[in-house]
Amino acid sequence: MVERAEALQLKVEQPGHLVLARLACLTRAVEPKQLRSIQKDWNVLSDRQRDALYEIFLLDGHLQKAFLFQYLPLFLSNAVNNTDLGLKNALVFLVELYETLLNHRC
């Protein structure tokens, strides 16, 4: 994942960079301009939403509870290509889904 990030001209120096690298992989980004678009959507999210995404993408599933979203790559790549939805709204939905799962003690 770090190699993919570096290919997109992103140095992974902190956890937030790793989340962006994961989003780049999940959205099938292959060009630096695609990463810049992801970063733009990331920057408009609230702190609470970004914190939830840190949990979604950085929890290991062994020591901390994590969820497997099997079709997440397809969902996110389709969202990027859908002008009515977009990545930002897809990430907001993902956060809402995650919080719902936690609230229902799944």
Side-chain angles (χ1 to χ4, degrees), residues 11-93:
K11 283 189 136 190
V12 178
E13 298 173 338
Q14 56 185 322
H17 295 152
L18 188 56
V19 173
L20 286 172
R22 286 187 187 224
L23 284 172
C25 289
L26 289 168
T27 59
R28 302 175 178 140
V30 294
E31 307 256 340
K33 70 178 182 177
Q34 292 170 301
L35 177 64
R36 288 191 295 276
S37 179
I38 293 168
Q39 288 173 314
K40 186 181 98 177
D41 288 335
W42 175 262
N43 290 335
V44 297
L45 296 172
S46 70
D47 289 340
R48 181 189 62 78
Q49 291 166 328
R50 282 191 296 258
D51 288 345
L53 290 167
Y54 282 134
E55 289 180 21
I56 291 168
F57 292 119
L58 298 180
L59 293 179
D60 64 11
H62 294 284
L63 299 176
Q64 304 141 321
K65 186 177 200 169
F67 296 98
L68 174 65
F69 299 104
Q70 184 171 352
Y71 295 104
L72 189 60
L74 182 61
F75 172 68
L76 292 177
S77 63
N78 284 342
V80 167
N81 295 318
N82 183 330
T83 56
D84 292 328
L85 180 59
L87 181 61
K88 180 207 172 259
N89 290 326
L91 293 174
V92 169
F93 172 79

